[in-house]
Amino acid sequence: IVSVEIGRTRMLIKDLLQLGQGSVIEFEKLVGEPMEVLVNEKLIARGEVVVVNEKFGVRLTDISSPAERLKHLK
């Protein structure tokens, strides 16, 4: 499974239950900060959001070395 994390935040359950369509959740990361690319929940690269043919994508900007990737995947 490949996933990209754009940010994290903490919310009280009561605040989470009050969210509705159009609500905005603010993350801790700033615009322009690299996103983390995870494989099986292990960091393998960092990247930035791009739009390709009206779909979101990730441009990889920093890839872990093969040794680091193997270490994280074990």
Side-chain angles (χ1 to χ4, degrees), residues 6-74:
I6 59 171
R8 294 181 183 203
T9 193
R10 290 187 179 265
M11 294 180 75
L12 297 174
I13 292 175
K14 69 176 185 135
D15 296 334
L16 181 65
L17 293 173
Q18 292 177 359
L19 295 176
Q21 187 171 354
S23 295
V24 175
I25 299 172
E26 187 175 329
F27 294 113
E28 295 171 347
K29 288 195 176 192
L30 300 173
V31 171
E33 277 191 80
M35 301 183 313
E36 296 176 338
V37 179
L38 309 166
V39 173
N40 294 330
E41 300 182 12
K42 307 294 183 189
L43 177 67
I44 63 152
R46 296 186 192 281
E48 59 190 19
V49 175
V50 295
V51 178
V52 179
N53 297 326
E54 298 184 22
K55 294 183 180 180
F56 288 109
V58 178
R59 176 181 295 123
L60 300 179
T61 57
D62 181 35
I63 300 174
S64 302
S65 71
E68 289 173 320
R69 287 185 297 217
L70 285 175
K71 184 174 87 174
H72 289 292
L73 291 176
K74 289 183 179 180

